[in-house]
Amino acid sequence: MVMSGELDQVLNLYKRRSETPLQTLERYASAHPAFKKVKMTYAGRLDPMAEGVLVALTGDKNKERDAYTGLDKDYEFEFVLGVETDTHDILGKIVKKNGEKTKNIQSQDREKEVAEALAKYVGTFMQKYPAYSSKVVDGKQLFDLARQGKIDSIVLPEHQVTVAKLELLGKRAISAADFKTYLHQSIEALTGDFRQAEILALWDAYIASAEAPRDFVVYRARVTCGSGFYVRQLVSDIGRDLGTGAVTVSILRTRVGALKVNDCWVG
């Protein structure tokens, strides 16, 4: 028998890559039947391609949602230069390729430039909301406007964000073939309509083209930030600062407040 109050909890769940936050909650409830009829929400969403700490609130803990949404967070993320998508991550349509510039992003000098570009974003500043986000403008969510081809009819709103720490951790090379496999495994695992077929067709065409590198250089970084910060918007901004374009390859949320990824319920 479940006692009163036992279903009012703050849960530290591991959201898998290619899973929506709602699917994470459903997976937990399926493994814990006592929660199937209990109100459960998440405090701070994660994009489908992101993974890591997802804070879930059950029962009366939902009344404290704002407090948990506002906690500071740590992310580790990866990105590549030379290409841009409309979502700023791999789950997006390629909208720009940088041609000859792409062939010049393999050097050691570029790593120094990337580190310097990242360092400029430590502090408090205004950050645009990504076009593919849930921010509401005139009663409509931005991603709905983007999907309808109407995003260019508005000025993307900005909000104040804070970055306490941001550092480049290193880089690795991955072959074009392995990068393509990663893309297909990640995107094909999604359920629902995320334009998967169209997106993969564009990525396949790009990887097969002369504009794409034979080996992709994947940069890895870590950020400590406040509430509302978008990693993929940061990556897009850095790509434009460097003149190469950039796209987020992976995001791992390792901490929300005192909740850490090593303590997550994985399932």
Side-chain angles (χ1 to χ4, degrees):
M1 179 178 178
V2 178
M3 302 297 291
S4 176
E6 287 185 7
L7 298 181
D8 304 330
Q9 295 191 22
V10 179
L11 303 173
N12 179 7
L13 309 183
Y14 192 96
K15 190 195 92 64
R16 300 169 179 168
R17 178 165 46 94
S18 308
E19 181 179 60
T20 67
L22 179 58
Q23 288 170 333
T24 306
L25 300 186
E26 292 172 342
R27 184 163 53 84
Y28 182 83
S30 179
H32 300 82
F35 287 90
K36 284 190 174 181
K37 295 184 179 180
V38 177
K39 181 179 180 182
M40 182 183 298
T41 61
Y42 51 84
R45 66 170 289 112
L46 279 172
D47 297 328
M49 290 293 101
E51 58 189 303
V53 176
L54 182 72
V55 179
L57 307 176
T58 69
D60 285 346
K61 283 295 181 180
N62 282 282
K63 299 174 183 178
E64 304 173 26
R65 187 172 184 273
D66 288 347
Y68 286 95
T69 301
L71 293 173
D72 59 343
K73 303 167 179 69
D74 289 343
Y75 296 90
E76 291 183 6
F77 58 100
E78 294 181 315
F79 58 96
V80 296
L81 306 178
V83 63
E84 299 178 42
T85 70
D86 58 1
T87 61
H88 307 329
D89 67 359
I90 60 172
L91 188 59
K93 293 170 59 178
I94 293 175
V95 294
K96 188 174 181 181
K97 297 165 285 186
N98 285 285
E100 290 302 315
K101 287 184 179 180
T102 304
K103 299 176 182 178
N104 299 322
I105 63 177
Q106 314 294 325
S107 69
Q108 292 295 327
D109 289 342
R110 180 63 72 185
E111 186 172 4
K112 180 181 178 182
E113 290 181 40
V114 171
E116 291 173 348
L118 286 168
K120 294 177 183 178
Y121 287 90
V122 175
T124 298
F125 56 93
M126 300 301 293
Q127 184 185 58
K128 285 185 178 180
Y129 284 92
Y132 279 82
S133 67
S134 57
K135 175 65 176 176
V136 175
V137 175
D138 296 331
K140 295 184 178 180
Q141 291 182 311
L142 288 180
F143 72 82
D144 283 331
L145 294 173
R147 289 289 292 266
Q148 295 167 12
K150 299 178 180 179
I151 199 68
D152 291 336
S153 66
I154 66 167
V155 176
L156 287 173
E158 297 181 335
H159 63 310
Q160 183 173 285
V161 296
T162 299
V163 171
K165 188 176 182 180
L166 180 56
E167 58 182 331
L168 184 65
L169 300 178
K171 67 178 183 179
R172 62 186 174 93
I174 181 173
S175 70
D178 287 344
F179 188 58
K180 180 178 177 179
T181 297
Y182 172 80
L183 290 169
H184 277 262
Q185 288 177 341
S186 300
I187 295 173
E188 289 173 355
L190 283 163
T191 58
D193 179 15
F194 289 93
R195 309 176 296 170
Q196 291 96 315
E198 184 178 7
I199 287 166
L200 284 173
L202 290 169
W203 273 112
D204 288 351
Y206 169 63
I207 291 171
S209 73
E211 293 177 287
R214 292 183 179 179
D215 295 302
F216 284 81
V217 176
V218 181
Y219 292 92
R220 180 168 165 261
R222 180 191 295 127
V223 62
T224 296
C225 57
S227 178
F229 182 78
Y230 281 89
V231 170
R232 54 193 168 92
Q233 183 63 52
L234 169 73
V235 169
S236 177
D237 291 340
I238 290 170
R240 295 188 181 185
D241 291 347
L242 293 170
T244 62
V247 64
T248 305
V249 172
S250 70
I251 298 175
L252 171 64
R253 186 154 69 193
T254 59
R255 183 184 64 86
V256 176
L259 302 176
K260 299 181 179 181
V261 68
N262 291 341
D263 301 321
C264 281
W265 176 84
V266 178

